[in-house]
Amino acid sequence: MKVLLLKDAKEDDCGQDPYIRELGLYGLEATLIPVLSFEFLSLPSFSEKLSHPEDYGGLIFTSPRAVEAAQLCLEKNNKTEVWERSLKEKWNAKSVYVVGNATASLVSKIGLDTEGETCGNAEKLAEYICSRESSALPLLFPCGNLKREILPKALKDKGIAMESVTVYQTIPHPGIQGNLNSYYSQQGVPASITFFSPSGLTYSLKHIQELSGDNIDQIKGPRHSKQNCLQLELLRKDCTDAATMFAAIGPTTARALAAQGLPVSCTAESPTPQALATGIRKALQPHGCC
């Protein structure tokens, strides 16, 4: 059974994208199509802030792209040596908070120790930080132009200072339409489509609707979860290879799907390959709907 993941490929130490591997263990043939591109911003400013850990109580990374911005700062400004010699140790004396294992893995590659990665989303990380943070100095938060205000607001409400710096902006991937056209012409309509962010949904949904036609229209409707679940189940029985199920990597993306009137058949319990694979497998079972 073919499933489509709207994300870029990330090879792990085994040389394979972990989402492809985990879904493959359940007999699901996954294809990855990137729908987002990123442009880095304000790197000189961010680099200067990274050079002064004494001004901050710690760091917050909520996306791999923010970590990549930090890596670029170290490379472009010839700061690798001073980073290894002193800056890394000074930052490690403070808290470095992250969301998700993928982000934590990248942070560890620049030599920083992380905490909070099991929180899974910004809401839970905010709770974690609020339960632990006591420094009077602000936390440095490199982020994207589409950052949500949940984390900053939660910290502000608890009196925890934070300094945001926008280090990247999200734009549509230039190959979205062509890659989706190629996939649908060669593979047909997938059994499921997984969205990994609200922006990814925004940039790809129109193309998917055009390519899927009635297969999406059949299951698009008002936000009545039980009715949608039953409707989706009937469609699977009558047209297993044609009806598409929608999955989300987390609650924020699931809410974005629901706002478009699309039933969400699966929301991963955590933003990991294992959780998503388990959720999709359960949702695609003949008598299950998660």
Side-chain angles (χ1 to χ4, degrees):
M1 190 175 290
K2 301 180 189 301
V3 296
L4 178 59
L5 308 184
L6 299 179
K7 69 178 292 292
D8 56 339
K10 298 281 187 181
E11 291 186 359
D12 58 13
D13 294 337
C14 299
Q16 185 181 31
D17 185 277
Y19 284 91
I20 290 180
R21 182 174 59 252
E22 290 297 326
L23 287 161
L25 294 176
Y26 291 123
L28 300 172
E29 182 183 341
T31 299
L32 307 180
I33 293 181
V35 294
L36 301 176
S37 289
F38 303 91
E39 294 178 345
F40 291 101
L41 309 169
S42 308
L43 292 186
S45 174
F46 183 34
S47 179
E48 181 66 17
K49 296 177 189 298
L50 286 174
S51 298
H52 294 281
E54 68 276 7
D55 292 340
Y56 300 96
L59 276 163
I60 302 175
F61 290 104
T62 59
S63 71
R65 223 61 57 183
V67 188
E68 290 175 17
Q71 292 173 317
L72 286 173
C73 287
L74 300 180
E75 295 168 1
K76 288 188 175 182
N77 295 282
N78 298 315
K79 287 189 174 177
T80 303
E81 184 178 346
V82 68
W83 176 265
E84 293 293 336
R85 188 173 65 245
S86 62
L87 290 178
K88 179 175 67 173
E89 182 179 355
K90 291 178 180 178
W91 279 112
N92 269 330
K94 304 171 183 290
S95 296
V96 180
Y97 301 106
V98 301
V99 169
N101 292 324
T103 303
S105 177
L106 288 177
V107 173
S108 68
K109 288 181 180 179
I110 60 174
L112 297 180
D113 302 324
T114 65
E115 56 181 298
E117 54 264 36
T118 57
C119 292
N121 57 54
E123 292 93 331
K124 292 180 181 178
L125 182 65
E127 295 174 5
Y128 179 85
I129 294 174
C130 290
S131 72
R132 300 174 62 86
E133 194 57 38
S134 59
S135 173
L137 295 172
L139 297 171
L140 180 58
F141 178 35
C143 56
N145 64 312
L146 300 179
K147 80 175 189 303
R148 299 168 67 225
E149 293 302 319
I150 288 178
L151 179 59
K153 184 179 184 304
L155 298 187
K156 182 180 179 180
D157 290 346
K158 293 293 185 179
I160 298 174
M162 185 181 73
E163 183 178 324
S164 300
V165 54
T166 302
V167 296
Y168 68 92
Q169 64 178 353
T170 304
I171 59 176
H173 191 284
I176 291 179
Q177 187 170 8
N179 290 335
L180 285 172
N181 285 345
S182 177
Y183 177 87
Y184 274 77
S185 64
Q186 296 176 20
Q187 307 287 343
V189 177
S192 76
I193 301 174
T194 301
F195 297 89
F196 285 76
S197 68
S199 53
L201 170 66
T202 298
Y203 296 143
S204 62
L205 182 58
K206 177 182 177 181
H207 302 301
I208 290 171
Q209 287 174 322
E210 291 173 349
L211 290 165
S212 299
D214 291 341
N215 293 308
I216 278 188
D217 292 337
Q218 290 177 94
I219 59 176
K220 180 175 180 177
R223 303 179 190 90
H224 301 303
S225 58
K226 291 183 179 179
Q227 179 180 350
N228 285 337
C229 187
L230 176 61
Q231 192 174 13
L232 183 60
E233 181 61 32
L234 291 172
L235 280 167
R236 284 206 201 100
K237 291 177 180 177
D238 294 337
C239 195
T240 302
D241 295 327
T244 298
M245 178 208 80
F246 297 101
I249 193 61
T252 302
T253 304
R255 287 192 290 269
L257 276 162
Q260 293 290 337
L262 295 169
V264 183
S265 297
C266 170
T267 301
E269 292 187 359
S270 63
T272 63
Q274 295 81 3
L276 180 65
T278 300
I280 290 178
R281 177 178 179 271
K282 181 180 178 182
L284 289 174
Q285 286 176 342
H287 300 290
C289 193
C290 66

